[in-house]
Amino acid sequence: MESEPQRASVRGPLARRPLAAPLGRPVRLACLISGGGRTVLNLQEKIAAGALNAEIVSVLASRDCAGVGRCEAAGLSVEVVSPRRFPSEIAFGEAIWGRIEQRGADLTVLAGFLSRLPIPERWELRVMNIHPSLLPAFGGAGMYGDRVHRAALARGVTVSGCTVHFVTEEYDAGPIVSQSIVPVEPDDDADALAARVFAAECDALPAAVREWAGGRLEVTGNRVRIVRRPLEEDG
């Protein structure tokens, strides 16, 4: 009698944890900017107010932008590292990660950073981005800032918002940590919508950093789950 052929075992992707346990100390942040630096200043304000247990150990700018002076005025260490100074994207990435690692950062935040940055394997699930739309809508290469809001208004959406996600090699395609929804009002222009979305970003990004540092994020494939420990259930 012929034996029944063995069936291949089909398993889904394994769950991964950026941190297996709470960090237990202020999370050390590196922030990368290319513009006004408002996202970094918001993080610094949350830290100063005691709402975020973190320390910004490095701010790197891809160009001499307004955020450089603003972050310096806030007492942060800032360096301009232009990709034009390097012969390749890989060399630029090595320079960025070398500086970040020299400062002992735990987590890197892309805070309006417009230069393409290779993500080393050792930094997988340790790089977050905040995007001013509900991804995957209005994301991808070339979609940033007011371009996103103008596209949302042109499409006629009735809601927009922001997305915090882990960064991968593909633009705006990494696992989504959180999304916040804001209404689009009938008389909105790009500036009005941008202001409403940024207000949501000011809460969403610090909250995502807290969950990361608390060891509460679990990633399976492209999905992120917040895992709470028994003592955290009651608040």
Side-chain angles (χ1 to χ4, degrees), residues 132-154:
S133 76
L134 298 174
L135 292 174
F138 312 114
M143 292 300 288
Y144 59 86
D146 285 349
R147 295 184 182 187
V148 174
H149 305 303
R150 288 196 296 268
L153 293 172

Side-chain angles (χ1 to χ4, degrees), residues 38 92 128 149 177 179 203 211 217:
R38 293 189 305 161
F92 172 63
M128 283 185 180
H149 305 303
V177 177
Q179 292 185 302
D203 292 327
E211 300 291 13
L217 298 183

Side-chain angles (χ1 to χ4, degrees), residues 109-181:
V109 175
L110 305 191
F113 190 67
L114 302 182
S115 296
R116 184 167 175 81
L117 182 67
I119 310 297
E121 185 176 350
R122 65 187 181 276
W123 278 90
E124 187 178 13
L125 302 183
R126 294 177 61 198
V127 186
M128 283 185 180
N129 181 49
I130 181 87
H131 185 80
S133 76
L134 298 174
L135 292 174
F138 312 114
M143 292 300 288
Y144 59 86
D146 285 349
R147 295 184 182 187
V148 174
H149 305 303
R150 288 196 296 268
L153 293 172
R155 183 62 184 85
V157 299
T158 59
V159 295
S160 188
C162 63
T163 302
V164 181
H165 65 94
F166 286 114
V167 178
T168 63
E169 292 293 331
E170 184 178 353
Y171 280 115
D172 298 331
I176 291 172
V177 177
S178 69
Q179 292 185 302
S180 301
I181 298 173

